[in-house]
Structure formats: structure tokens, C-alpha cells
Amino acid sequence: MSLPPPPPPAAGDPVTPEDSLGSVTLEDWATGPPLQAQPLLRQEAKGKEEEGEETGVQGAWGKGTAEQRRRGWGEAAEAAAAEEGQVDAGGAAGSASPAGAAGGGREGWRRLLAWLRRRQPQCCPCAAPLPRSAAHCCHGGTKMAALAYNLGKREINHYFSVRSAKVLALVAVLLLAVCHLASRRYRGNDSCEYLLSSGRFLGEKVWQPHSCMMHKYKISEAKNCLVDKHIAFIGDSRIRQLFYSFVKIINPQFKEEGNKHENIPFEDKIASVKVDFLWHPEVNGSMKQCIKVWTEDSVAKPHVIVAGAATWSIKIHNGSNEALSQYKMNITSIAPLLEKLAKTSDVYWVLQDPVYEDLLSENRKMITNEKIDAYNEAAVSILNSSTRNSKSHVKVFSVSKLIAQETIMESLDGLHLPESSRETSAMILMNVYCNKILKPVDGSCCQPRPPLTLIQKLAACFFTLSIVGYLIFYIIHRNAHRKNKPCTDLESGEEKKNIINPPVSPLEIFLQSFCKLGLIMAYFYMCDRANLFMKENKFYTHSTFFIPIIYILVLGVFYNENTKETKVLNREQTDEWKGWMQLVILIYHISGASTFLPVYMHIRVLVAAYLFQTGYGHFSYFWVKGDFGIHRVCQVLFRLNFLVVVLCIVMDRPYQFYYFVPLVTVWFMVIYVTLALWPQITQKKANGNCLWHFGLLLKLAFLLLCICFLAYSQTSLMFRNVPKTSAPSFPDFPDCQINKKGAFEKIFSLWPLSKCFELKGNVYEWWFRWRLDRYVVFHGMLFAFIYLALQKRQILSEGKGEPLFSSKISNFLLFISVVSFLTYSIWASSCKNKAQCNELHPSVSVVQLFICQYHIWLAADTRGILVLIPGNPMLNIIVSTFIFVCVAHEISQITNDLAQIIIPKDNSSLLKRLACIAAFFCGLLILSSIQDKSRH
């Protein structure tokens, strides 16, 4: 028997709940509501549940428990039965549950369906509340769309939670690691081969080798690498061009002059670097004799030999086949000599670059790309087959051919490459030889995986033990859980519940946290130390920075929430502010926007704003709460430094390398010491006597005096437009050096502070970072003091819905803010260099997330970009960002869990933990000193 559906509603008629059920048979209702009805019943119940569940008021589905109302029982069944007159008070209880409805068979569900049909039409339970005028005028499309949205949203939230996102990220990491490992096994793991044979241009002049990063060597770095070295270039005019470009890396003032068809020497006596060009335009007996001399034991051999020639043979012999045959014979006779030299020296054979035939002069028309390819194929096949049982030690320099294919159109004569292409080839040669010597951070090509230090090995053992310990706890806990499962009573047939499982012990939480942290640190190491994943250099374009910025701004418009807080710089407001700043800074880092000066200066304002909030927030807490206890200090220091300390151990980097955390940590301690020292002045004390306000102002004035003293005592900080070859330089102050120690350097060069604030054996980096925003934290403290004092005096009133200032004052302040921002932007755009901007930044910055990115989103310690999916930059950014966010979220949870365990509130327990932490750091300092001595 079927119940015919009601006639379809006319346009504009309200839609009742049963209109969406379609044709329903009584058989469908015999054992419960049909599938198409269940979501509607649950949705209807949930829409009104808040009215009755908490207050006891009758809900949408009437009497009964909240669980019954969620499932659609209660008033619906009662009302249906009462209207039919077939149920008394005792029967109502039976039909008010699924069991009762099932017992009543078809009749019970028939009454329920009849009641549904007689209900007054009600508006759909939309995601957002509808106005009262629209309460009875919802159309079917609107109702079904809202219902589908709500159901779909619940389904998505159910199946795709934070936990499932992290599981997906873990699976992605494992799959990507397996794919990259297989690729390395199949294609080889020598990044030098990639550097010498493959790559592409990023933009017009930036060369990107396949899977690794190329460092741009400075004069001082090149001289340090090539000290007491002899480099020889042998070949024709193209090799001579490469020689000039190579020498200009060492001495940019070296001029291309003299007779071009003869030998050209170069020597830097201060650095003891010797570079020679030997004119041998053909592969013949003359070149063979020159190379043969070097193979004799009594003659000093060059450390690097770069050879190549072919175009002269094509030109002189008019591209004849006989010339090619003679070329093969000559290179066959030279190959064993080159192979012998390659055992003690680095030997490179440069393949011939293509020509631009349209620009060739008449006497060079016979030099065609077809002939060049034939000569290159002959050279490669002979050199690779010169050793029968092993791989040839002579390295084929074929990357210049790829570079020339992109730039030969810019050649002046069709034969010789433009200067930018020659410079790229020379820089590749410098990377091939010097990367393994100097080990630059952003020069991953030709660098072997660094050996594990003693501290890293101990850290690996600790994480391994944590994983094993947690697995033991997990197995024990699981077995105990099985024993505590409900058992069946044989007499009554009912299940008896055993005792509730005991809470998780702190030791298990400790092991679980370090187990997860160990897996995360393994991923960090794989990304930035193990050479498993690829890396690429950054390349800045305006679109790579501004398009993501515009995208997140537009996206942010659609995701906003109201806040109950109305105070200035309340917690929700500052968290929102910090989140936006970190998003912008992340985009700034991955796009390489530091090369664009206006963007760089505006990012410096964001960093200053972050430090301003540090001064404002910590001062407000200590001033209002008066809590100077050690627990508060330890909690803040632990949350700030836990991840950084772990990364210093795992990634073998000094503490100052993650400069922002040391900066924030030092300023927090400055705020704490300033307010905690006698006399401790708090808001409660100052309210009793106004003189305490002047006492606090004196404290702040003394702090400002100390800052100025440290800043200007370092008077020997000089800025000079002369190249430095021995003094260390700042990343953003390229022409900066310190000639003698000032007060700042003397303080932070003392042991053990030096172990925390030195980078590459000096504190210059720390001086630069501290000096750049030295006044911002003080201004944040001063602003907080003035604001809280005025608020306490009720000069500023911030009730809910009340503005802080009148409309006129607010508009005036808004105008001042806009003018200040535009003025700063114009000034930042007019700066000539970073040194000039950074000098004025500390004085003007007041008018106006973070550690994980170093290794698992960026690469080479923020100098490059991590490549998980090669060949697709957009997909690579999406995947790496997803994994990065999941890892950052998990580390945040781990830090919070460990902070509760390691920093207890009980002072006696806390002091014991602090003693253990102090012993740990003492041991770490001793091991670090041992490592430093072994390295030297």
C-alpha cells in the first residue's frame, strides 16, 4: 500500500518538510523513518534544540531526552497518536521511542506521517537566522539549499578534521620521500652532475640548476676559496671569455686587453691566487704537449683545468669531415692524459656552445650548429669511454650549451656569448669547486651531506628511546583497555561496565610528545640536511609577492567574526594582527622580496609592530596583574624557546641563527627586570599613591638611557663604500664593519652569553638585529602605561559599543595615520640602499610566525625554496604549505603539553626542574665546546 504524495506546491507556496520526501510506502516506515526523511528529522530537531535542552523548555520535538529529540521522537509521535485518539497516557510512552514505534508496526508510522502532513509550514533551518517577515515564506529551493549546505558542512567537518589533515600530511610526506628516494637511486645522487649538465633560467638572468641551489660568490669568498690555488684555462676565444669572467669574480677591475691570441696570466699576490689562460685554439699536438707536461711528477699541476676547443678546427678546414675525423683522433690521444690529471686535479671539458648563424660573418659561415653538435658528440663519447672499468673522472661542462641556447640571440657576432651568460658559466665553475670547501648555506650543489655531530647523535638516541618508550606504554594501555571492556552477565544477559580507565600519566604524555616531535624533527632533517628533497633559489618578481597578498586580503574579507572585546589592543585583536603580519612575512620570505627595497622596508615595519606588541602585552600583564613569580617567567621562556633549542640541536645551528626568538626573549627579560626590580610598582600600588606613577616613569627613563648607551657606545661601527675582504659583514648592512669592541660587544662576548649570541664567531649579527628596532619595545611599554593610566582615571572610557574618541578626534587620528603611512612609503621607496634605510628605521618605525619555515617550507636555512614536487611550482607551494601548517600546528600542541609538564605551578617542583634544565644546558655547552675544538 502506498501513500500518494501531496500535490506539488505552486510557485510561491511554502514548502512543508514532507514535500521533500517523495513517494513513501508504509513498508518504508515499518522499521523507522526512511533514509530520505532521517536528515530532515535530525535537522529540525537540532534547529530548536538549544531552546529546550539547556533550559528545560519543550523543544521542537517536544518531551523526551535531548537524544530522543535529535532522532525525531517525542512530541511528533505523541501528537500523531493523540490526534488519532488511539493512545492513552501509558501508550504515549511506548510510541515515543524507536522501540515503541517498531512495536506498533505500520500504524504507528502512518500516524507520524499523517501528523507531519498536517503540520503548519515552517521556514527552513538556514545557516543564518532569517528575518521574521520571512519566517513563513521560504521556497523549496532555498530550503533544500540550506539543508544541503548544513548537512554537507557537518559531513565535511566530520570527515576532514585537524586530525585527518595531519594524517593526510603524514601520508603525503611518506609518499613524497619514497618518490624522491627512488628518483635519486635511478638518476643518481650527485648534485655536481646536475649543476654541470642541467638547469633553466628564472626570468632573464638568474640560472637555476636542477634540484639544487647555486651560490653567488663575493670577492672575499672567492679569494678565501682559491687561496694558494692555480687554475688553468686552455682553449680558444670562447674559453678566453670564460677565463675573463672567472677572473672578474676575484678582481672586478681586471680589464680585457692585450693580444687575444696569446697566453694571458693573472695573479693576486695577496690572496696567492693564480689564474692562467693558455691559447690553444685546436685540439692538436700543441695542446697535447701542454697537458702532457702537467702529468709529469716533477711539475706542479694546476688545481683546476678547464679545456675546450672546436670552432677553429671547423673554420680552418671549412667544416670538412676529415677535420672531424682528425679531431676524434686528437681528443682520443689527449683523453688518457686528462684522465690521469683528473685523479689529482679537477678537470673540466667545455662543450661547444651553439651559434646564431644569421649573425655570423662570411668567414665563419661554415660554423653551423649541426657541425658543433657532431664535434660535441665525439668529445662526449671519447671522454666517457676513456676508462673501461670505471666512470670517467673528467667532468663534461655541458651546461654552458643550455645557457647559450637561451641567450645566443643577444650575441654581437653570433659566435661569442653575451657577458651575462659568460658570468653565469663562470659562477657555475666557482660553485663546482668552492661549495665543498666553503659550504655556503645557499649553495647546496656539490655539497655532501654534513656528518652527524655528537650532539645530533645523542638527540637521535633520545628521540628513538622516546618512541620505543611510548610504544611500550601504548601496548600496555591497549591491553588494559581490552581487559576493561564491558562483560556480559550470564544471569541477566546485561553488560556490566568495569572501572573507568585511569587518566594518562604525565610520563606517557611526555613520551608521546617527544615521540611525535622526533618524527617531526626527522622531517626537518630530511628537508634541509639529508639532500633527499630538492631545493631551488628564490627569484623575485612583483607578481610572486603582490598576487598572494591580494588573494589573502580578498579571502580575509569573507572570513570575519564579531568580538565581544572593545578594548584597545585586546587579545583577539592582537592575535589577528600577528596572524596577518606572519602571513605577509611568510610570503615575503618565499618570494625573495627582500631584494625589492620598498617591500623590505615595509616588512621591517611589521617586525617593529610585532616587537611593539611584545612591549605592550608584557608590560600590561605585569602592571595590571603584579605577577612577578618565577612560574610566569619560565612559562613564557619555555614557549618562546623550546622549538628553537630543539632545532639548534637537530639542525646543528647556533641559537642566534633563529634571530627573532633571541630578540623577543631578550626584550621580555628586559621588561621583566625593569618592572620586577625594587621597587616593584604595579597598578594596584599606584592607585593608592600617584607618586608611584612618577617612580615608574623614572624606571622607563633609566631603561631608555641604557638603550641609548648600548647603541651609541659602539662608536666604531662604520659604514664605508669600500670592499671588505676580511671583516665580517651583515646581511642587510653589506658595507658595515666593527673595528674595536664597544660596550655592547663586550657584554655579549662574555661566556656563556657568547655561545647564545655569536654567529660565525662574532656578535655582529646580533648587534645588527638588536640595533635595528632598539626603541620599539620601549615605545610599546610607554604606550601601555599611558593608556592604562588614562583608562584608570576614566579619561578614556571603553564601554561596549562606545567609541574611544569622538568622531572628530577619530577622523583626525585616522587622517594622521594615513598621512604617516604614505610618508613612510614614499621615504622607503626613495632610499638608495638598505644601509641608508636601516640607519633611519629605528627612529621612524614607531610611527607605523615563524621558525618552522626555516627548514620545511623554505630551504637552505631560508635562503632557498623546498621543492617537494618538481616541475610544478604552484602545486609544490600548495603541498609544502599544507604540510608546513600541519607541522606547525602539531608543534604548537606539543609545546603546550610539555610546558604543563616541565613547568609545574608548584614552586618546589619547579625549582627541581630548573636545576635539571640548568644541568642539561651545562652539558650542552660542554659538548658544543668539544665539537668546536674538533672542527678547528
Side-chain angles (χ1 to χ4, degrees):
M1 174 182 177
S2 294
L3 294 176
D13 289 347
V15 179
T16 59
E18 63 273 12
D19 290 336
S20 60
L21 299 181
S23 179
V24 183
T25 64
L26 287 179
E27 286 77 6
D28 295 329
W29 291 85
T31 58
L35 293 177
Q36 61 264 44
Q38 290 175 5
L40 183 60
L41 296 175
R42 289 195 300 268
Q43 181 64 35
E44 186 71 20
K46 190 172 181 181
K48 299 280 186 170
E49 187 176 309
E50 292 183 359
E51 297 180 14
E53 187 168 0
E54 300 297 332
T55 63
V57 179
Q58 183 170 298
W61 292 92
K63 304 170 185 177
T65 64
E67 182 64 25
Q68 290 171 338
R69 292 200 304 274
R70 286 192 189 96
R71 297 179 180 178
W73 322 122
E75 183 188 4
E78 271 190 51
E83 290 178 5
E84 293 289 338
Q86 298 178 6
V87 181
D88 56 9
S95 63
S97 67
R106 300 181 181 179
E107 190 61 29
W109 290 115
R110 183 178 180 179
R111 291 196 302 270
L112 179 60
L113 182 60
W115 178 85
L116 278 173
R117 291 185 181 280
R118 287 193 297 273
R119 284 188 67 204
Q120 290 295 327
Q122 292 185 5
C123 192
C124 54
C126 300
L130 293 174
R132 294 182 178 180
S133 59
H136 297 283
C137 61
C138 284
H139 298 286
T142 306
K143 182 180 183 70
M144 295 308 296
L147 182 60
Y149 170 78
N150 287 328
L151 294 176
K153 184 179 180 181
R154 285 208 304 272
E155 290 294 316
I156 292 173
N157 291 337
H158 176 71
Y159 289 107
F160 194 79
S161 60
V162 174
R163 181 183 178 87
S164 59
K166 292 177 182 178
V167 172
L168 182 60
L170 176 61
V171 172
V173 169
L174 294 176
L175 290 177
L176 289 169
V178 170
C179 292
H180 279 267
L181 186 61
S183 175
R184 295 279 183 180
R185 294 284 185 182
Y186 176 74
R187 302 183 59 180
N189 198 29
D190 188 2
S191 58
C192 276
E193 291 187 1
Y194 296 141
L195 179 60
L196 292 172
S197 61
S198 60
R200 70 185 191 279
F201 272 105
L202 301 176
E204 296 181 358
K205 296 182 179 180
V206 179
W207 182 254
Q208 173 59 59
H210 175 70
S211 79
C212 62
M213 297 171 58
M214 191 171 76
H215 177 66
K216 187 174 182 180
Y217 277 88
K218 301 176 183 178
I219 300 172
S220 58
E221 293 174 326
K223 290 183 177 181
N224 290 336
C225 169
L226 301 176
V227 62
D228 297 327
K229 298 295 189 298
H230 179 205
I231 297 93
F233 289 79
I234 312 169
D236 54 12
S237 58
R238 286 178 159 186
I239 298 297
R240 183 181 64 236
Q241 280 189 313
L242 186 59
F243 158 79
Y244 278 127
S245 297
F246 189 87
V247 169
K248 286 182 179 180
I249 299 176
I250 306 169
N251 182 8
Q253 283 75 38
F254 188 74
K255 297 181 180 180
E256 301 181 17
E257 56 186 11
N259 191 348
K260 296 182 178 181
H261 293 173
E262 62 182 20
N263 300 340
I264 304 174
F266 168 80
E267 185 175 6
D268 189 321
K269 294 183 179 180
I270 298 176
S272 299
V273 179
K274 185 179 180 182
V275 186
D276 291 326
F277 169 71
L278 306 178
W279 174 253
H280 293 282
E282 289 189 88
V283 181
N284 52 20
S286 175
M287 178 182 286
K288 179 181 178 180
Q289 183 61 32
C290 177
I291 296 174
K292 187 176 181 179
V293 171
W294 288 331
T295 60
E296 298 176 1
D297 296 334
S298 59
V299 179
K301 304 172 182 60
H303 297 87
V304 181
I305 299 171
V306 182
T311 54
W312 270 69
S313 298
I314 300 174
K315 176 183 175 182
I316 293 175
H317 302 284
N318 201 24
S320 64
N321 293 329
E322 291 78 8
L324 178 59
S325 300
Q326 185 63 41
Y327 179 83
K328 292 179 180 180
M329 293 175 59
N330 293 338
I331 201 170
T332 301
S333 64
I334 290 177
L337 300 176
L338 294 175
E339 191 66 34
K340 185 177 180 180
L341 280 174
K343 294 180 180 179
T344 56
S345 304
D346 287 358
V347 180
Y348 304 95
W349 184 268
V350 181
L351 296 185
Q352 294 301 298
D353 303 328
V355 296
Y356 192 47
E357 298 179 10
D358 294 343
L359 290 179
L360 291 175
S361 58
E362 289 299 325
N363 62 340
R364 292 175 176 168
K365 286 293 184 181
M366 70 292 297
I367 307 175
T368 64
N369 289 324
E370 182 180 357
K371 292 291 183 183
I372 287 176
D373 291 339
Y375 276 73
N376 285 337
E377 291 175 6
V380 171
S381 62
I382 294 171
L383 292 173
N384 288 337
S385 61
S386 59
T387 56
R388 296 180 179 179
N389 300 324
S390 62
K391 187 178 179 180
S392 174
H393 292 88
V394 179
K395 301 171 184 176
V396 177
F397 194 84
S398 59
V399 68
S400 62
K401 180 180 176 182
L402 297 178
I403 297 172
Q405 288 174 352
E406 300 289 336
T407 60
I408 191 62
M409 290 77 70
E410 303 173 12
S411 172
L412 297 177
D413 56 7
L415 179 66
H416 299 98
L417 294 178
E419 186 174 359
S420 60
S421 302
R422 294 153 39 194
E423 291 173 353
T424 302
S425 297
M427 194 60 70
I428 291 174
L429 275 176
M430 190 69 73
N431 274 259
V432 172
Y433 185 75
C434 292
N435 282 1
K436 57 182 176 288
I437 298 175
L438 297 184
K439 296 180 175 59
V441 173
D442 59 342
S444 62
C445 298
C446 297
Q447 272 202 56
R449 182 180 65 83
L452 290 175
T453 64
L454 176 60
I455 295 177
Q456 286 176 314
K457 292 176 182 178
L458 293 175
C461 293
F462 172 78
F463 285 125
T464 303
L465 292 175
S466 299
I467 294 173
V468 173
Y470 175 69
L471 290 177
I472 294 173
F473 264 95
Y474 177 77
I475 293 171
I476 296 174
H477 180 75
R478 187 173 182 180
N479 292 335
H481 179 70
R482 286 179 177 177
K483 293 179 181 179
N484 290 333
K485 278 189 175 180
C487 58
T488 303
D489 191 344
L490 296 178
E491 296 181 0
S492 62
E494 297 179 353
E495 290 185 345
K496 289 184 176 180
K497 294 184 179 179
N498 290 340
I499 301 173
I500 299 175
N501 292 330
V504 181
S505 65
L507 178 59
E508 187 172 355
I509 297 175
F510 181 87
L511 292 175
Q512 182 188 30
S513 299
F514 275 104
C515 173
K516 293 189 289 187
L517 186 64
L519 297 176
I520 292 173
M521 289 300 109
Y523 178 62
F524 272 74
Y525 189 86
M526 286 193 303
C527 288
D528 215 12
R529 291 295 180 271
N531 292 333
L532 176 62
F533 298 119
M534 301 179 181
K535 302 178 180 70
E536 287 189 355
N537 293 91
K538 297 178 184 179
F539 176 68
Y540 174 75
T541 62
H542 293 319
S543 60
T544 57
F545 176 76
F546 288 105
I547 289 179
I549 293 292
I550 295 172
Y551 175 77
I552 64 170
L553 289 176
V554 173
L555 195 64
V557 172
F558 295 97
Y559 290 89
N560 56 77
E561 295 179 358
N562 295 326
T563 177
K564 297 179 181 179
E565 292 285 344
T566 59
K567 295 182 179 180
V568 172
L569 294 180
N570 59 73
R571 180 61 181 269
E572 293 183 3
Q573 184 181 12
T574 54
D575 286 348
E576 176 85 3
W577 189 1
K578 291 178 181 178
W580 280 107
M581 288 192 295
Q582 292 207 16
L583 276 175
V584 175
I585 290 173
L586 287 173
I587 296 172
Y588 163 82
H589 280 160
I590 202 168
S591 63
S594 60
T595 57
F596 185 49
L597 194 56
V599 172
Y600 165 80
M601 291 309 301
H602 285 83
I603 295 299
R604 293 251 46 93
V605 174
L606 295 186
V607 175
Y610 203 105
L611 292 173
F612 177 88
Q613 291 185 45
T614 298
Y616 176 86
H618 290 305
F619 178 90
S620 299
Y621 178 86
F622 290 126
W623 172 253
V624 175
K625 300 289 185 181
D627 179 12
F628 297 102
I630 191 172
H631 178 264
R632 161 74 180 180
V633 177
C634 292
Q635 278 278 341
V636 173
L637 293 179
F638 182 86
R639 294 176 188 275
L640 283 175
N641 293 275
F642 172 70
L643 175 61
V644 170
V645 171
V646 175
L647 285 178
C648 290
I649 294 172
V650 174
M651 308 303 290
D652 190 28
R653 285 291 178 265
Y655 179 65
Q656 180 55 37
F657 177 78
Y658 307 95
Y659 70 90
F660 191 73
V661 170
L663 190 64
V664 176
T665 300
V666 167
W667 280 118
F668 168 74
M669 291 305 300
V670 167
I671 298 169
Y672 175 77
V673 170
T674 301
L675 297 178
L677 284 179
W678 184 89
Q680 290 184 0
I681 305 174
T682 62
Q683 188 180 59
K684 184 177 180 180
K685 183 184 289 188
N687 290 337
N689 190 341
C690 294
L691 293 177
W692 288 116
H693 287 91
F694 294 101
L696 184 63
L697 287 174
L698 288 177
K699 277 192 170 186
L700 294 178
F702 180 73
L703 173 61
L704 179 61
L705 183 64
C706 292
I707 294 172
C708 294
F709 171 75
L710 289 176
Y712 293 104
S713 65
Q714 204 79 24
T715 54
S716 55
L717 183 63
M718 305 297 292
F719 302 96
R720 303 171 182 173
N721 294 320
V722 295
K724 317 285 189 306
T725 58
S726 58
S729 61
F730 301 115
D732 298 315
F733 274 155
D735 297 324
C736 168
Q737 70 175 8
I738 299 177
N739 295 322
K740 82 174 184 179
K741 288 185 177 181
F744 182 93
E745 190 176 1
K746 289 179 180 178
I747 292 173
F748 289 99
S749 295
L750 295 174
W751 194 90
L753 288 179
S754 59
K755 299 297 295 183
C756 296
F757 298 101
E758 281 186 356
L759 189 64
K760 298 180 180 179
N762 56 70
V763 297
Y764 304 140
E765 171 76 9
W766 168 234
W767 155 257
F768 163 69
R769 298 295 179 185
W770 178 87
R771 184 176 182 271
L772 201 55
D773 296 299
R774 58 187 180 271
Y775 300 125
V776 174
V777 175
F778 169 80
H779 287 137
M781 297 171 65
L782 184 62
F783 176 82
F785 170 72
I786 295 173
Y787 164 70
L788 293 173
L790 294 178
Q791 186 187 52
K792 197 65 180 178
R793 297 287 176 181
Q794 296 183 349
I795 298 176
L796 297 177
S797 177
E798 287 184 294
K800 290 188 176 181
E802 296 181 8
L804 186 63
F805 300 106
S806 64
S807 298
K808 292 183 179 179
I809 296 178
S810 298
N811 292 334
F812 174 75
L813 293 177
L814 178 63
F815 173 77
I816 294 297
S817 300
V818 172
V819 171
S820 300
F821 178 77
L822 293 177
T823 303
Y824 182 88
S825 299
I826 295 172
W827 169 78
S829 302
S830 63
C831 283
K832 296 180 180 179
N833 51 59
K834 287 184 179 180
Q836 179 184 0
C837 290
N838 288 334
E839 267 293 278
L840 296 176
H841 171 75
S843 304
V844 300
S845 61
V846 184
V847 182
Q848 315 295 327
L849 319 141
F850 192 68
I851 301 302
C852 289
Q853 60 163 325
Y854 275 64
H855 304 290
I856 63 170
W857 196 53
L858 304 175
D861 298 335
T862 73
R863 304 294 180 89
I865 298 173
L866 179 66
V867 179
L868 298 177
I869 302 178
N872 195 327
M874 183 58 66
L875 182 60
N876 176 69
I877 288 295
I878 293 173
V879 173
S880 61
T881 301
F882 173 69
I883 297 174
F884 162 68
V885 171
C886 291
V887 169
H889 187 273
E890 186 63 32
I891 289 178
S892 176
Q893 290 186 339
I894 291 172
T895 304
N896 291 332
D897 292 341
L898 291 176
Q900 302 302 322
I901 297 174
I902 298 177
I903 312 295
K905 292 184 178 180
D906 180 58
N907 284 336
S908 60
S909 300
L910 178 57
L911 291 176
K912 294 178 182 177
R913 303 283 171 84
L914 291 179
C916 295
I917 293 173
F920 167 77
F921 279 107
C922 288
L924 198 63
L925 288 173
I926 294 172
L927 291 175
S928 178
S929 300
I930 294 173
Q931 280 185 182
D932 292 341
K933 290 181 180 179
S934 63
R935 285 173 180 172
H936 293 309

